[in-house]
Amino acid sequence: MDDLIRPHTYIALRLPSDTIKLVQVVPNTTISIGKYGSFQTNHILGRPFYFTFEILDKAEQNDQSSLRIVSTVEAYAHIKDDTSVLREPEDQENVENGGDGVEYEVINSDGKVLMRTNREIIDDSRSQKLTMMDIEALKREETGSGKALIAKILESHSALDQKTSFGLEKYTLRKAKKYLRRFTVLPVDVPLLLKWILNEKEPSKVMEIREEILALMGSWSSVHYSGPQAHPIENNLPDSKGGRWLIVDETGGLLVAAMAERMGILSPPREDQPHTDQARSTGKSNGIGEDSSAATPTTAMRSLEVQTTAMSADTNTITLIHANAQPNLALLTYFDFDLTSPNPLHPLHTHLKSLSWLQLLSPNEDSSYAEPEVIPDELIQTMKGGKKGNYYRKRRRWEKVRAVVDRTRAGGFDGLIVASVMDPTAILHHTIPLLRGGAQVVVYSPSIEPLAELADYYSTARRTAFQTGPPSSNDFPNEDFPLNPTLLLNPAIYTARCRHWQVLPGRTHPLMTGPGGAEGYVFTATRVLPAEGKVEARGSYKRRKLVDVSSASPASQTVSETCKE
């Protein structure tokens, strides 16, 4: 992941209200963030991430808003600075603090209030003298970042002196989130993208999977960065440093993105940036202007002579099985990868392979697996350029599909990760034989019932019954044995939920409200290779007699002691 904001990439803007907004940085355009204002994308290009910017109003000589970088000290001190305009209470000298940050109301024998609380305060809307029309008028007159407006709102509150220090800080923070015109630029990663989907979009699109469940799946599946391919494949033996994982993803590409991030193939390396700049300059020379919507990295990249074959990597790969004509990987667009028009320099272009269930189970019934007609070279030389190009394009597509299908059906995968609405029993029936011994199996489900049924199919009782009286090949699978229970060991079901806490002096407690949705469960097991045939112990076994030391002769005792020494 790059440390600087690059053109045509997606970034996340964290607004003062703690909401996330994902935008694409297209040069010479304007980004609008609603009530907080708008700014030019050229003002943030080339700057580092995690900077906080403040939107300033348009100057008289310029019709565009400008930005100002907010320092870290200023970003966290503006709330305390605004409290200087508040009126001090009349009986402030009689009010004391409890010492631990909590204010209590204690009255001595003379009736003086020594410590106070906000228990007797009644929240009344008439305490604020400014109306919404007055606030809107102040917003139109405001030329700064919103600090003056917040100060005027606090000054117009008649019951502000009755608030405790905690209540006052909470009220000021709420106004700052509403009127302060600031934003922080963040890079788009999988946790942030998942948070944006769960809070701002439709969680059902990603099967309501949470960040901790996604991390649990990656941990149990042992998905890790295997490094670059050190040696080419020789004698059909894969490189020992690489890994191959089989994935069934129906979360729009979120599961693929999470696993690719662990494998180090989610984002292009920094060394590829000069090639990207060269591609854009090539696009300009071909008549693509900067302001044109066609000036995208994928469009300009086609003019480069980059001879990179799609799905050609042999190690550190992800093989995706889908049920449609094309896999649904829409969320990978936020990581600069589009399956319909891929970037040849992106690692997923070569390390991500996809095939349909039809190609896996019955490849001969798929039209793309059938070899196109072979035309002799003499006839090819007489063809026009367009027809000749179409012929070679069909041959390359067929070679790619055939290589992916044959390699997948050969098996030898290091793990299986499933997040699908399909029946997990049907998925595992066809994918478990493709795993090598010791591979991990991870299945996610929003509810526990499908996984509990799956764990029962691989239980010890079913395994013992299967080994005692195995069914015939014509009678398998059946109602008693829908799956082979000898192929997986140690089935287990896990779940995880991270609960947020409020940490304040004297007010530390878990938050009472939280996101709803499905709980989410993960099924895990280990692939084993059962021994072929019947295992028996052979040979003569003679039980050794134990000698009583107390009844043995002194000579034998001496010999035994000598042997012990």
Side-chain angles (χ1 to χ4, degrees):
M1 183 178 295
D2 209 327
D3 295 333
L4 303 179
I5 304 174
R6 301 294 182 182
H8 303 285
T9 59
Y10 281 88
I11 62 173
L13 304 180
R14 185 175 62 193
L15 306 180
S17 58
D18 293 334
T19 58
I20 301 296
K21 183 180 180 64
L22 266 62
V23 296
Q24 187 179 16
V25 184
V26 180
N28 303 322
T29 58
T30 302
I31 297 178
S32 176
I33 52 177
K35 64 179 181 180
Y36 298 103
S38 60
F39 60 93
Q40 293 291 317
T41 56
N42 295 345
H43 294 165
I44 62 175
L45 283 176
R47 296 186 180 273
F49 287 103
Y50 303 102
F51 270 25
T52 300
F53 297 91
E54 191 173 82
I55 301 178
L56 304 179
D57 279 348
K58 304 176 183 179
E60 295 180 358
Q61 65 276 11
N62 192 0
D63 58 349
Q64 298 179 357
S65 300
S66 58
L67 299 179
R68 183 181 70 89
I69 299 178
V70 181
S71 62
T72 305
V73 177
E74 182 183 358
Y76 290 97
H78 68 277
I79 299 177
K80 295 183 179 179
D81 294 342
D82 287 342
T83 58
S84 59
V85 300
L86 304 178
R87 297 188 300 271
E88 295 292 335
E90 299 178 357
D91 57 345
Q92 185 67 32
E93 65 277 1
N94 296 329
V95 178
E96 298 183 5
N97 195 279
D100 56 353
V102 183
E103 296 178 351
Y104 304 91
E105 183 176 298
V106 180
I107 302 176
N108 60 3
S109 59
D110 298 335
K112 295 182 179 180
V113 178
L114 301 181
M115 300 180 186
R116 68 172 181 178
T117 181
N118 58 358
R119 181 178 58 186
E120 302 297 335
I121 298 177
I122 300 177
D123 190 9
D124 191 358
S125 59
R126 293 174 296 179
S127 301
Q128 178 57 253
K129 303 302 182 182
L130 292 178
T131 62
M132 288 302 301
M133 298 180 60
D134 298 335
I135 295 177
E136 292 296 330
L138 291 175
K139 288 173 62 178
R140 289 191 296 268
E141 299 174 0
E142 178 68 27
T143 58
S145 61
K147 287 184 178 181
L149 176 60
I150 297 175
K152 291 180 181 179
I153 293 176
L154 296 178
E155 288 180 355
S156 303
H157 201 288
S158 60
L160 207 61
D161 56 343
Q162 302 177 7
K163 293 182 177 293
T164 63
S165 59
F166 174 74
L168 179 60
E169 183 178 358
K170 189 175 180 180
Y171 179 80
T172 309
L173 180 61
R174 186 167 65 249
K175 297 304 177 183
K177 289 182 177 182
K178 188 174 183 180
Y179 298 109
L180 206 58
R181 303 173 61 186
R182 290 178 180 175
F183 65 92
T184 303
V185 183
L186 304 174
V188 178
D189 52 10
V190 175
L192 189 142
L193 179 63
L194 180 57
K195 180 181 178 181
W196 175 68
I197 295 175
L198 295 179
N199 297 335
E200 308 294 336
K201 296 298 180 179
E202 300 181 21
S204 59
K205 297 292 184 180
V206 294
M207 299 180 62
E208 300 181 280
I209 189 172
R210 301 191 308 274
E211 180 182 354
E212 49 268 28
I213 292 293
L214 201 60
L216 189 65
M217 296 176 64
S219 177
W220 275 108
S221 59
S222 188
V223 175
H224 56 278
Y225 173 67
S226 302
Q229 183 176 345
H231 305 285
I233 291 182
E234 298 179 359
N235 300 327
N236 296 327
L237 296 177
D239 184 11
S240 59
K241 289 188 177 182
R244 300 168 60 228
W245 280 270
L246 193 63
I247 294 181
V248 181
D249 182 11
E250 294 188 10
T251 61
L254 179 66
L255 183 60
V256 172
M259 301 304 115
E261 187 177 43
R262 285 176 167 265
M263 300 168 62
I265 58 176
L266 182 60
S267 302
R270 299 181 183 179
E271 289 77 11
D272 292 343
Q273 186 61 34
H275 299 287
T276 307
D277 296 338
Q278 181 183 357
R280 295 196 182 97
S281 61
T282 307
K284 294 179 183 178
S285 63
N286 292 338
I288 302 176
E290 293 183 358
D291 297 337
S292 176
S293 59
T296 61
T298 54
T299 305
M301 197 68 66
R302 295 172 183 171
S303 58
L304 282 179
E305 296 180 357
V306 182
Q307 301 298 332
T308 305
T309 305
M311 307 182 188
S312 59
D314 297 306
T315 59
N316 202 35
T317 60
I318 294 176
T319 302
L320 176 66
I321 306 178
H322 56 89
N324 303 315
Q326 292 291 334
N328 180 15
L329 299 174
L331 295 181
L332 293 183
T333 308
Y334 297 104
F335 302 99
D336 196 21
F337 182 77
D338 187 3
L339 191 63
T340 59
S341 180
N343 179 3
L345 300 178
H346 201 288
L348 290 178
H349 179 64
T350 56
H351 291 265
L352 176 61
K353 306 179 181 183
S354 63
L355 73 160
S356 63
W357 284 105
L358 179 62
Q359 294 172 343
L360 177 65
L361 303 181
S362 301
N364 296 325
E365 299 181 7
D366 185 70
S367 58
S368 59
Y369 188 79
E371 183 178 4
E373 180 184 1
V374 179
I375 302 177
D377 295 339
E378 296 80 6
L379 185 58
I380 293 178
Q381 299 300 328
T382 61
M383 301 173 78
K384 294 183 179 180
K387 292 184 178 181
K388 185 186 300 184
N390 291 335
Y391 171 74
Y392 284 117
R393 191 179 301 109
K394 290 180 180 180
R395 295 290 301 181
R396 289 194 299 267
R397 185 186 304 114
W398 168 76
E399 292 175 356
K400 179 186 68 175
V401 172
R402 190 177 185 85
V404 172
V405 173
D406 293 346
R407 186 69 189 279
T408 303
R409 290 171 60 87
F413 288 93
D414 296 283
L416 171 65
I417 311 170
V418 179
S420 173
V421 295
M422 297 173 57
D423 184 13
T425 304
I427 295 177
L428 266 61
H429 176 70
H430 299 287
T431 54
I432 291 298
L434 303 177
L435 304 180
R436 63 168 179 83
Q440 297 296 320
V441 178
V442 177
V443 182
Y444 167 78
S445 176
S447 57
I448 196 175
E449 287 77 12
L451 302 185
E453 184 179 1
L454 195 63
D456 179 63
Y457 292 154
Y458 291 101
S459 61
T460 305
R462 287 185 184 266
R463 188 183 311 114
T464 304
F466 187 88
Q467 294 175 345
T468 304
S472 60
S473 58
N474 298 329
D475 193 28
F476 180 81
N478 51 36
E479 184 178 356
D480 295 332
F481 301 105
L483 296 171
N484 189 348
T486 62
L487 300 182
L488 292 183
L489 285 182
N490 193 24
I493 300 176
Y494 299 93
T495 186
R497 178 178 286 272
C498 179
R499 191 169 186 180
H500 296 275
W501 284 60
Q502 171 185 285
V503 181
L504 291 172
R507 296 181 177 90
T508 300
H509 60 79
L511 297 181
M512 299 295 105
T513 58
E519 181 68 20
Y521 298 89
V522 176
F523 168 85
T524 63
T526 303
R527 171 76 160 99
V528 293
L529 302 177
E532 297 181 359
K534 188 176 182 181
V535 179
E536 296 180 355
R538 295 182 178 274
S540 59
Y541 177 75
K542 184 181 295 185
R543 184 176 182 182
R544 299 177 59 185
K545 294 182 179 181
L546 299 178
V547 180
D548 190 2
V549 180
S550 59
S551 61
S553 60
S556 62
Q557 293 182 2
T558 305
V559 173
S560 62
E561 292 176 358
T562 305
C563 294
K564 291 180 180 179
E565 294 176 357

